[in-house]
Amino acid sequence: MGFRAVIIQGDPRFYGRLGFRCGEKYDLTNAEKQFCVGLMAYQLFEGALDGAGGCFSESESFGFAEEALAEFDTSFPPKEKGESAFQSEFAVLLSLCYAKDPKYTS
């Protein structure tokens, strides 16, 4: 397929064990040009991200229409919606973002 690296939003406590590293190591930011704890990268080839830098943004294909989602939900038995502790923690991890400090810019 020709891919040289994988970029994800994930829990560093898990993906770090698999070899993923914080996107800041490769100068990868979110759409707001901030480094995020949950933005992680894995090189499929040694040096694949050296000097790459850039901005991560999710594909529009991950979006959804609320109406379509509500209709899809009707195809399942009723269930109370909620948020697990893991989902809450993940939301916090994704919110931990910070701007690049200019004094460390080369």
Side-chain angles (χ1 to χ4, degrees):
M1 297 176 96
F3 297 110
R4 301 193 49 78
V6 177
I7 313 296
I8 62 167
Q9 290 188 55
D11 187 331
R13 298 171 297 182
F14 175 76
Y15 287 101
R17 294 181 293 184
L18 303 176
F20 281 81
R21 298 294 172 249
C22 183
E24 182 178 8
K25 177 177 179 171
Y26 306 108
D27 201 27
L28 301 171
T29 65
N30 65 8
E32 290 77 35
K33 305 283 192 247
Q34 295 178 316
F35 296 114
C36 296
V37 172
L39 182 58
M40 314 231 16
Y42 182 83
Q43 298 185 114
L44 299 174
F45 298 92
E46 185 69 33
L49 292 171
D50 289 353
C55 175
F56 173 85
S57 60
E58 287 185 341
S59 167
E60 289 182 15
S61 63
F62 287 104
F64 57 88
E66 289 290 336
E67 304 81 32
L69 181 60
E71 183 177 334
F72 177 74
D73 280 351
T74 64
S75 66
F76 298 96
K79 184 176 180 182
E80 185 178 332
K81 293 188 181 219
E83 185 173 284
S84 71
F86 174 80
Q87 289 170 313
S88 298
E89 286 180 20
F90 187 62
V92 169
L93 284 171
L94 290 183
S95 73
L96 297 176
C97 299
Y98 49 95
K100 186 173 192 171
D101 190 329
K103 69 181 176 186
Y104 295 111
T105 307
S106 48

